[in-house]
Amino acid sequence: MSAEATNPGNPEAADRRRGRPGPALRGLRRIGRAALLGPAPRDGLPDALEHVAKVHRHHHPDADLDTLSRAYQLAESSHRGQTRKSGEPYITHPLAVTLILAELGAETTTLTASLLHDTVEDTDVTLDQVRAEFGTEVCYLVDGVTKLEKVDYGTAAEPETFRKMLVATGNDVRVMSIKLADRLHNMRTLGVMRPEKQARIAGVTRDVLIPLAERLGVQALKTELEDLVFAILHPEEYAETRRLVEKYGGHPDPLAEIAARARTILADAGIDAQVLVRPRHFVSVHRVLLARGRITGADLGRLLVLVAEDADCYAVLGELHTCFTPVVSEFKDFIAAPKFNLYQSLHTAVGGETGEIAETLIRTHRMHRVAEAGVIALGNPYAPTDGADAPEGERADPTRPGWLDRLLEWQRTTPDPDTFWTSLRDDLAQDREITVFCTDAAADGPAGTIGLPAGASCVDAAYAKHGEAAHGCIGARVNGRLATLGTVLHDGDNLHLLMAQDADGLAGPSPEWLDHTRTPAARLAISRWLARSQGTGEPPAAPAGRHGERRRVPAHRPAGPDRAGAASGLVVADLPGATVRLAGCCTPVPPDTVTGFAVRGGTVTVHRALCPAVARMAAMGRQPVGVRWRGAAKGGHGCRVTLLAEAFSRPHLLPDLTEAIAAQGAAVVSAAVEPPHEQLVRHTYTLHLPNAAGLPSLMRAMRQVPGVFDVVRAATAVRTGNC
């Protein structure tokens, strides 16, 4: 059985659903038949290359096909005798990859490299041969997508190969374009693999390559990859979604009627526009079903309106909103404010006469090319140019947005392949970018801006701006107001980072900063500092609390495996090689019953068994990690705990409580007092105890303060101060 026959998502059918030009299955079959006959040229062009050449000439009428012909002949002779698992000649794979890129409008250099992309990896062809025959650019692209040998790298081969591709992409984005097309063809023909290998490849595609396709704006590849991954990893949901699509396929399309009316309206208004019904791909339909609980015929597609000029987009919007009933909440302007992956379009939704809602995309033909092919549609962004041909308002180097710079920066400081692999997946999981305007004196970026993933905090911004020097950050102002370093930033915020004047006198970052990080760069820098601090024999200290006490925090270090598992300070976890830290939400101390959960970066967070966070994570299906107190923890180790003091409001209550705490030898890390309500007040203290055994006597001493009627352990910490 052929790979196409066993593949769950037929690519030709997928293209028909999307209503866009795509790799036609008959074209691939023609390539396969021609490949079986060898490289016999006809009028100077090999038969197998004819379909690729026709598509390429459609986008680039003046393309030099001689280079493609020479590349094909080298690839065919090098791969001759090799077959794919489906039984086809191996040359059909680089041909199919080249056809995918040709249909997206890639230029000749990219197509040349795609024809040769497996020669250095799988044949006797060397990079020097490629360079001598086709030049430095093609050689660089081929080298960028060539995998590292498992013989040399073992289990680290895959993460290190992706690291190599990312670095190469930083210099030439076409490297990742070829990799994405390569993975798409492999996913189309994945049906011949064992189910477990299908699942592994689909998982990497979902976690790494689909997010990269999204960031590079290559929606045509991203959507098909999503459908193929969906079919492999979620076969039941895929089958149900496909059944729903086929069910509505036999009914009249309500969007067709709305599209016809829209064409008439725009023609009467003198606007030259093309109105299409654009079917959704399966994953998009499934998302609509999850969001609304049901779907209608109108949910299976969207209207796409294509015009010539930017101003026409807004003219179309005005006509549609005048003649249809608009859904105001659905309007988004990605022309005035493009997405970080170059995407531009107007989004709206209008109601038809029968009540059907039609989601509508309005864009120019140029915007549509970029929306489909992303950076591939831009040709070679690194070719020397005087900028005369660049579209007005387009960035000089649109392929180097903030997310790529961040990836390249933190990967340089992450030599460990496992940490790099985990951090890469975490970083790519952030699906939206924000821009923050940094107004501190050290701002040195363009216009003082910092690009960050959505959900990033002041901690992330500090490390993005200052690197290791962010260890000396002591606070922040967000939009002119003092804010904690854990404050989540939003697009357009003005940020002023407060840095210590004498960095050498500071204790450095607190372990709690890790709870507020979204970027690998910040997380890795903080973890390295904590590890170094523990290596001195002293637990890492942190800035003074509200009452001036210099606080000490529990030991946190990346510890190696021992007989029982990984150890850190007071706690041992049954997860070799993991860093262990105590949760700030419930501040467990010996001899509390505890449980652990693995979080980002290979860290195990330890919670009290009764902590509400434990129930939440269990409800989410998170698997606990076995943890226990060390035998030595029953001795004189210090610990941190958060206590809630419930009292009747009276003068001097705060100094009396802090005096009782100090008399027990405990240090105040932070304190918060809620406003009195009906003469009742609650104080929250995070305290450092020199010995966990002293906790009961401390709580008794606090209860004996006049006006205090109860002191309990906190289930959830109240975070205050600047850390």
Side-chain angles (χ1 to χ4, degrees), residues 215 340 401-403 406 430-435 451-454 491:
R215 279 157 175 71
F340 68 91
W403 67 266
R406 285 200 310 273
Q430 320 300 329
D431 60 358
R432 195 167 61 84
E433 286 266 311
I434 63 170
T435 299
L452 296 167
D491 200 31

Side-chain angles (χ1 to χ4, degrees), residues 31 35 304 319 408 425 457 486 497 546 555 563 577 647 659 667 682:
I31 284 174
L304 173 62
E319 291 296 329
L408 294 173
R425 294 182 179 213
S457 68
L497 296 168
R546 178 173 292 188
R563 184 181 302 272
E659 183 178 353
R682 183 167 71 167

Side-chain angles (χ1 to χ4, degrees), residues 555-588:
H556 290 259
R557 76 170 105 171
D562 59 18
R563 184 181 302 272
S568 179
L570 304 174
V571 187
V572 178
D574 297 332
L575 187 62
T579 301
V580 182
R581 63 184 176 87
L582 302 178
C585 57
C586 57
T587 56

Side-chain angles (χ1 to χ4, degrees), residues 361-384:
L361 312 176
I362 308 168
R363 57 178 72 141
T364 67
H365 293 281
R366 184 186 67 82
M367 291 175 191
H368 184 57
R369 287 195 300 272
V370 175
E372 290 293 284
V375 295
I376 299 176
L378 301 177
N380 178 9
Y382 299 95

Side-chain angles (χ1 to χ4, degrees), residues 612-627:
V614 172
R616 287 197 300 271
M617 284 186 277
M620 294 167 57
R622 297 277 296 276
Q623 294 300 313
V625 175
V627 293

Side-chain angles (χ1 to χ4, degrees), residues 76-375:
E76 193 281 332
S77 62
S78 302
H79 290 297
R80 192 174 297 161
Q82 297 177 349
T83 59
R84 307 194 78 215
K85 289 188 179 296
S86 60
E88 298 171 310
Y90 193 87
I91 189 61
T92 59
H93 170 64
L95 276 169
V97 172
T98 305
L99 178 59
I100 290 169
L101 291 167
E103 291 221 339
L104 292 175
E107 35 68 58
T108 306
T109 301
T110 303
L111 301 188
T112 303
S114 67
L115 282 169
L116 300 169
H117 79 272
D118 276 339
T119 55
V120 174
E121 181 180 325
D122 295 333
T123 76
D124 294 331
V125 174
T126 66
L127 286 173
D128 288 338
Q129 287 177 266
V130 174
R131 185 183 295 106
E133 182 70 21
F134 300 99
T136 302
E137 273 190 286
V138 172
C139 178
Y140 185 87
L141 298 179
V142 172
D143 184 32
V145 296
T146 298
K147 295 178 184 175
L148 299 174
E149 294 289 344
K150 287 189 176 181
V151 173
D152 299 326
Y153 287 85
T155 58
E158 185 172 40
E160 289 301 327
T161 294
F162 273 97
R163 186 202 297 270
K164 174 189 172 188
M165 289 180 189
L166 276 176
V167 173
T169 299
N171 293 322
D172 196 325
V173 75
R174 293 174 294 181
V175 170
M176 194 56 66
S177 300
I178 296 171
K179 177 60 182 177
L180 290 170
D182 172 66
R183 179 54 61 92
L184 176 56
H185 183 248
N186 283 332
M187 288 293 297
R188 286 174 175 174
T189 57
L190 204 59
V192 297
M193 300 286 188
R194 299 188 309 274
E196 59 271 19
K197 189 166 185 179
Q198 290 187 37
R200 186 188 69 78
I201 294 174
V204 174
T205 303
R206 175 197 61 198
D207 295 343
V208 178
L209 287 166
I210 288 176
L212 283 171
E214 168 73 14
R215 279 157 175 71
L216 293 174
V218 194
Q219 294 297 318
L221 302 187
K222 179 213 169 196
T223 52
E224 188 171 348
L225 283 171
E226 282 185 327
D227 276 358
L228 294 168
V229 167
F230 185 37
I232 292 171
L233 298 183
H234 305 283
E236 294 181 0
E237 292 89 338
Y238 174 84
E240 174 62 19
T241 305
R242 186 161 191 158
R243 186 190 64 78
L244 287 172
V245 171
E246 292 171 350
K247 169 187 172 183
Y248 282 100
H251 296 79
D253 185 358
L255 292 180
E257 181 180 342
I258 299 176
R261 184 182 170 200
R263 291 188 195 101
T264 302
I265 290 170
L266 297 178
D268 292 344
I271 301 173
D272 183 13
Q274 185 178 3
V275 182
L276 307 172
V277 176
R278 183 179 175 86
R280 293 181 184 270
H281 63 298
F282 286 146
V283 169
S284 181
V285 173
H286 182 66
R287 287 172 182 155
V288 172
L289 180 61
L290 291 179
R292 302 176 186 172
R294 62 180 184 87
I295 60 172
T296 66
D299 293 326
L300 300 184
R302 291 182 288 191
L303 295 188
L304 173 62
V305 183
L306 300 177
V307 294
E309 303 293 339
D310 290 12
D312 294 337
C313 295
Y314 294 97
V316 168
L317 181 72
E319 291 296 329
L320 294 183
H321 280 195
T322 300
C323 300
F324 292 91
T325 302
V327 181
V328 179
S329 61
E330 295 294 317
F331 173 68
K332 296 181 180 67
D333 187 346
F334 293 118
I335 295 179
K339 290 186 178 181
F340 68 91
N341 60 0
L342 313 180
Y343 177 87
Q344 288 184 289
S345 194
L346 294 179
H347 288 205
T348 188
V350 295
E353 293 179 341
T354 59
E356 298 283 2
I357 301 298
E359 294 186 28
T360 306
L361 312 176
I362 308 168
R363 57 178 72 141
T364 67
H365 293 281
R366 184 186 67 82
M367 291 175 191
H368 184 57
R369 287 195 300 272
V370 175
E372 290 293 284
V375 295

